Amino acid sequence: MVEVFKTNVQNHSDAERLASELSKKSDSLKINFDLNDCDNILRVEAKKINPLEIIELMHSNGFQCEVIL
């Protein structure tokens, strides 16, 4: 399963820090930020994903995040 999120993350250091935080939730998550995309995409791949948990973690770190349908 893959979930794609629109974010307001704009630099690679924030992306790396957030990816590290997200990885703590589950070792099986594959996390990728595409900061060259106009929506600053966050892609998360795993067998099971809880989008609300990802959104809450992003918000608690001061970033906007929403699922792209």
Side-chain angles (χ1 to χ4, degrees):
M1 165 182 256
V2 176
E3 286 285 353
V4 181
F5 301 87
K6 176 180 178 178
T7 75
N8 67 337
V9 177
Q10 298 197 2
N11 65 59
H12 291 285
S13 62
D14 285 336
E16 288 176 16
R17 182 176 55 81
L18 291 163
S20 177
E21 288 289 318
L22 288 166
S23 293
K24 292 177 185 176
K25 297 289 182 186
S26 173
D27 292 336
S28 66
L29 293 178
K30 292 183 181 178
I31 301 158
N32 177 338
F33 279 91
D34 182 356
L35 303 182
N36 293 320
D37 184 277
C38 65
D39 289 327
N40 298 320
I41 296 295
L42 164 61
R43 288 183 191 86
V44 179
E45 182 178 348
K47 289 185 180 182
K48 184 178 179 183
I49 300 171
N50 182 345
L52 292 178
E53 189 174 296
I54 292 168
I55 291 168
E56 287 175 8
L57 184 137
M58 293 289 290
H59 286 176
S60 71
N61 281 278
F63 293 94
Q64 297 173 0
C65 182
E66 62 185 73
V67 174
I68 296 178
L69 301 175

